């Protein structure tokens, strides 16, 4: 249906732990035909504290960042992505916590308060305009099975999909 091609929208998961177990990994495969914009791929948000963790396409790079108590911290930036080519993004939460510690531990410590947006958020400012090939949410057991697709810091290897 081509009518959806120009409609701005996003996925909203009103609670992160939709699989009735703690989440071990969140990941997706995307492609972008516009590398001149900043767009949200994933945003995990705590409505009680307003803290959030986001994975954004920022021009031709993928940026992983944490906004905690009003301070934004870039945790990691990937290598260059290529227009119209697939790229993987995501996090293996246990590895991310082990690598970055501190505020990352505090943010992901209680997943029951977290919500997740995919391909934008409710502000409609940074909606994703490319293609989504797959989205995955897994338990820790399954996250351990795909650990080779993640960097030592818990972020997805952007060309492993």
């Amino acid at each position: 249906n081509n009518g959806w091609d120009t409609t701005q929208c996003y996925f909203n998961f009103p609670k992160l732990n939709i699989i009735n177990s703690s989440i071990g990994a969140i990941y997706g495969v995307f492609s972008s035909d516009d590398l001149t914009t900043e767009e949200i791929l994933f945003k995990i948000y705590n409505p009680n504290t307003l803290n959030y963790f986001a994975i954004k396409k920022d021009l031709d790079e993928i940026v992983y960042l944490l906004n905690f108590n009003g301070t934004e911290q870039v945790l990691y930036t990937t290598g260059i992505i290529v227009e119209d080519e697939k790229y993987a993004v995501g996090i293996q939460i246990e590895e991310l916590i082990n690598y970055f510690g501190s505020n990352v531990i505090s943010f992901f410590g209680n997943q029951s308060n977290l919500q997740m947006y995919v391909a934008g958020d409710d502000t409609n400012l940074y909606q994703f305009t490319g293609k989504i090939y797959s989205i995955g949410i897994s338990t820790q057991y399954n996250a351990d099975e795909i650990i080779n697709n993640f960097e030592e810091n818990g972020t997805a290897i952007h060309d492993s999909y």
Side-chain angles (χ1 to χ4, degrees):
N1 181 347
N2 290 343
W4 286 100
D5 288 352
T6 58
T7 302
Q8 289 193 344
C9 56
Y10 56 86
F11 297 100
N12 177 22
F13 296 87
K15 63 180 202 168
L16 181 62
N17 56 352
I18 60 173
I19 57 177
N20 295 327
S21 179
S22 67
I23 301 298
I26 298 166
Y27 47 90
V29 177
F30 300 83
S31 70
S32 300
D33 60 0
D34 183 358
L35 300 181
T36 64
T37 59
E38 181 179 334
E39 299 173 354
I40 295 171
L41 303 171
F42 287 100
K43 182 176 180 180
I44 302 168
Y45 177 73
N46 185 325
N48 300 326
T49 64
L50 306 182
N51 295 330
Y52 65 87
F53 173 87
I55 304 172
K56 295 182 177 184
K57 178 191 74 68
D58 189 3
L59 306 176
D60 61 354
E61 297 177 322
I62 304 302
V63 177
Y64 293 77
L65 60 92
L66 178 67
N67 187 306
F68 195 81
N69 293 334
T71 302
E72 186 171 287
Q73 175 188 5
V74 173
L75 301 174
Y76 181 68
T77 302
T78 68
I80 303 299
I81 59 171
V82 178
E83 186 175 313
D84 292 322
E85 288 191 14
K86 292 180 183 177
Y87 55 88
V89 302
I91 53 172
Q92 208 276 8
I93 295 172
E94 186 175 283
E95 295 300 317
L96 190 79
I97 286 171
N98 290 340
Y99 191 86
F100 292 104
S102 188
N103 293 337
V104 176
I105 293 171
S106 297
F107 180 76
F108 284 105
N110 184 358
Q111 293 183 4
S112 65
N113 292 328
L114 301 178
Q115 301 177 2
M116 182 171 69
Y117 297 101
V118 179
D121 67 7
D122 60 349
T123 66
N124 291 319
L125 295 176
Y126 302 106
Q127 303 306 96
F128 180 66
T129 60
K131 294 180 182 174
I132 302 172
Y133 295 92
S134 65
I135 299 294
I137 301 171
S138 70
T139 63
Q140 187 59 51
Y141 176 82
N142 289 330
D144 291 342
E145 295 296 310
I146 59 172
I147 193 68
N148 291 338
N149 294 317
F150 292 89
E151 303 280 1
E152 178 184 328
N153 65 11
T155 63
I157 299 171
H158 78 277
D159 60 356
S160 70
Y161 43 86

